[in-house]
Amino acid sequence: MGTRKTPEQLADEERRYRLARGAQTPEEFAQLVDDPNQGIRAAAAHNPDADAQALAHFATDRFWGVRIEVAHHPNATRDVVLSLLEVDPRKRGVVHHAARERLIAEGIVFGADGLPVLG
């Protein structure tokens, strides 16, 4: 069993969650990109006020839950969503499939290799 968080740590975590859900400026999102808590980063990526620049940063997160939020976010640019696709079929997972579903809904056609046919 892990160590329990102190009341101060819990209060700080709640403050950061509030910031993630209420962030509106590029500066607020920038400080959340490196938050040690992946749940806070996912909340920030889910925030309706997240702009394309913030979402581009969250798209490179190492945790799939954050990248899934980017794939579903209406402010994510096509380039950002395309960056979530995995070329290697052995590495394709939930992020690739969420990005693929989004792109198909936007009219992008996918080839037999599982990648978009652009051009």
Side-chain angles (χ1 to χ4, degrees), residues 60-76:
T60 63
D61 199 279
R62 68 184 190 150
F63 290 101
W64 64 267
V66 177
R67 295 190 318 270
I68 285 278
E69 293 296 341
V70 173
H72 291 282
H73 202 292
N75 293 342

Side-chain angles (χ1 to χ4, degrees), residues 20 37-47 58 61 65-67 69-70:
N37 184 317
Q38 71 184 25
I40 290 171
R41 295 192 310 274
H46 182 79
N47 181 326
F58 289 119
D61 199 279
V66 177
R67 295 190 318 270
E69 293 296 341
V70 173

Side-chain angles (χ1 to χ4, degrees), residues 59 63-65 67-68 71 84-85 92-100:
F63 290 101
W64 64 267
R67 295 190 318 270
I68 285 278
L84 297 170
L85 295 174
R92 291 180 186 159
V94 293
V95 175
H96 175 89
H97 294 290
R100 179 185 164 131

Side-chain angles (χ1 to χ4, degrees), residues 93-114:
V94 293
V95 175
H96 175 89
H97 294 290
R100 179 185 164 131
E101 287 176 12
R102 159 97 182 258
L103 292 166
I104 287 172
E106 292 177 359
I108 300 293
V109 176
F110 279 73
D113 62 355

